[in-house]
Structure formats: C-alpha cells, structure tokens
Amino acid sequence: MMEHRITALTLQKRNHQRVNVYLDGEFAFGLARIVAAWLQVGQIISDEKIAQLRAEDERETAFQSALRLIQLRPRSENEIRQKLLQRKEKDDVIQAVIERLKQSGLLNDEAFAREWIENRAELRPRSRRALAYELSRRGVERSVIETNLAEINDDEMAYRAAQNKARKFKDLDWNEFRLKLYRYLAQRGFDYAASQQAISRVWQEMHDAETISEDDEGFL
C-alpha cells in the first residue's frame, strides 16, 4: 500500500466549501471543506485513508444536496430518496444521508404530513381525499396520512375553499355562481354534498352582508 505526502490544500475558486488536495506535487482530488478540515500540508496519508476520505466526501456531498432541498421546502423521506437516486448516488450513501437527516430531526414524515395539511388548510384547502392523494404521491405511509387527516372536516375545508374564491364570482347570479364555484371545489376533491353546503353558506353570507350595508346607508 502506497503512502503520499500532502503538498498543498487550496480552496476551490468556484466553491469555497470545497478543497483541492495535492499529493506529491500534483492535484489528486477535491473534498468537502468539513471532510478536509483535519488535513495538513506535509501530512502523510495512505491509499486506504484516501479511499475513506473520498467515501466520506461522497456522503457529505449527498447530504448537502439533500439539505438544500429541505431548505427550499419540507420534504418527505421518499422525496429525498428519489432526488438522490436521480443524482446517481449509491444506495448505501442514500441510506446514510436519510438516517443522518432523521437523527437531526430534519426528516420526519409525521411532521411533514402535519405541516403539509396545515399549509393546505390555511392557503389552498383540499378535501381529505385530495390531501391523502397528495401525501401518498410523496411516499408518505398510509397510517401516517390517516392519523394526520383524522381531524380534517370536508365541510369546513370546502367552506374555506369557497370563501377564497367566492369574491371573484360575487357579481354573478345564483345559478352561474353555484356552477362556477362547484367546478372549482370539485377540482379540489370535494364531493357534491360538501360543495353545495359551502356554496349556499358563502352565498348567504355575501348577500346578508350586502343587505346590512344597504340598510346602513339609510342612516347616513
């Protein structure tokens, strides 16, 4: 087994988080800065140690890639796995990255499902069926999905969705208002009963508000 002397360590120009390692006067390979942190110019390292460093660099690079994805938005375990597979990462590297993320609390399908549902409920309401489908597509286990959907009420979610859209249709007559809003709710997975209840409710609230406004004008 050969040994080599580290003759230079330089930061890469395009990525200061990586270090170029020179052995015996020639460029040998690049490493993540955190992996190369203990190396020193003049140090003697073996071929075995080089192989260990490069394997560690492979895991660190994959981890940083996964971390960037999570920073953009929360991800399920399966989403991370699929993204790393697309990068042609090895199975053992992928598993090591996933375990590291889970241990650090950055990857948790239970929390992911809960946050996904809360976000939808607040910003883009969907039916239980639609939410289950979305989470299933992201590889979340059925038991986790069912647990987190237990308290979701389709009637209330349909009402929230209808509220968000009703203002756009406020000048339409009842039949056109009902038809357009029903189509909108159907696209979000709500059944006929939940949709009709929500549509009637927002229509009534809109027109009650108009009546009150007109009555108030009489006192001006």
Side-chain angles (χ1 to χ4, degrees), residues 53-90:
L53 285 168
R54 299 187 76 165
E56 187 177 347
D57 177 67
E58 192 175 1
R59 290 191 294 272
E60 182 63 27
T61 301
F63 176 76
Q64 292 300 327
S65 176
L67 200 58
R68 286 192 292 272
L69 290 170
I70 291 173
Q71 288 171 341
L72 290 173
R73 72 161 175 82
R75 309 273 174 165
S76 69
E77 181 178 328
N78 186 64
E79 285 182 301
I80 293 297
R81 188 182 301 278
Q82 294 305 314
K83 289 291 186 181
L84 293 179
L85 281 171
Q86 290 173 15
R87 285 173 49 89
K88 310 296 184 184
E89 301 290 357
K90 299 174 185 175

Side-chain angles (χ1 to χ4, degrees), residues 5-191:
R5 182 182 299 276
I6 298 175
T7 50
L9 297 167
T10 63
L11 292 179
Q12 293 184 0
K13 291 182 179 180
R14 293 186 178 182
N15 185 352
H16 288 181
Q17 294 307 310
R18 293 191 64 78
V19 173
N20 290 326
V21 180
Y22 292 79
L23 301 178
D24 305 322
E26 296 182 354
F27 171 77
F29 48 83
L31 293 175
R33 195 169 180 175
I34 191 171
V35 176
W38 68 276
L39 298 179
Q40 297 178 358
V41 173
Q43 184 177 351
I44 303 297
I45 57 175
S46 65
D47 286 341
E48 181 181 7
K49 187 61 180 180
I50 291 171
Q52 291 176 357
L53 285 168
R54 299 187 76 165
E56 187 177 347
D57 177 67
E58 192 175 1
R59 290 191 294 272
E60 182 63 27
T61 301
F63 176 76
Q64 292 300 327
S65 176
L67 200 58
R68 286 192 292 272
L69 290 170
I70 291 173
Q71 288 171 341
L72 290 173
R73 72 161 175 82
R75 309 273 174 165
S76 69
E77 181 178 328
N78 186 64
E79 285 182 301
I80 293 297
R81 188 182 301 278
Q82 294 305 314
K83 289 291 186 181
L84 293 179
L85 281 171
Q86 290 173 15
R87 285 173 49 89
K88 310 296 184 184
E89 301 290 357
K90 299 174 185 175
D91 289 345
D92 61 323
V93 170
I94 293 173
Q95 194 56 41
V97 168
I98 286 175
E99 288 303 318
R100 183 176 170 186
L101 289 169
K102 289 170 72 172
Q103 289 174 7
S104 61
L106 296 172
L107 195 61
N108 182 318
D109 276 4
E110 184 76 32
F112 171 79
R114 183 168 58 253
E115 186 172 342
W116 184 275
I117 292 168
E118 289 174 353
N119 180 270
R120 282 289 195 244
E122 182 178 351
L123 302 175
R124 302 173 66 186
R126 298 284 193 277
S127 69
R128 286 170 55 95
R129 181 179 61 182
L131 290 168
Y133 174 72
E134 289 178 344
L135 290 170
S136 179
R137 282 192 61 195
R138 285 156 180 80
V140 180
E141 292 184 3
R142 183 175 178 179
S143 60
V144 174
I145 295 173
E146 291 178 349
T147 296
N148 283 277
L149 287 177
E151 297 183 3
I152 295 298
N153 183 292
D154 265 7
D155 290 344
E156 184 59 29
M157 291 287 273
Y159 171 64
R160 292 186 187 183
Q163 273 188 314
N164 292 343
K165 197 69 172 179
R167 297 182 188 88
K168 185 176 180 180
F169 305 142
K170 65 183 180 62
D171 295 327
L172 302 178
D173 62 35
W174 162 247
N175 286 330
E176 195 170 1
F177 176 88
R178 178 169 58 87
L179 181 60
K180 286 184 177 293
L181 202 48
Y182 174 74
R183 287 174 177 167
Y184 174 80
L185 294 175
Q187 291 171 355
R188 280 145 186 78
F190 295 107
D191 62 22

Side-chain angles (χ1 to χ4, degrees), residues 197-210:
Q197 180 174 313
I199 292 167
S200 296
R201 183 176 173 185
V202 295
W203 173 268
Q204 187 66 43
E205 289 174 351
M206 286 170 57
H207 288 77
D208 282 352
E210 288 177 1

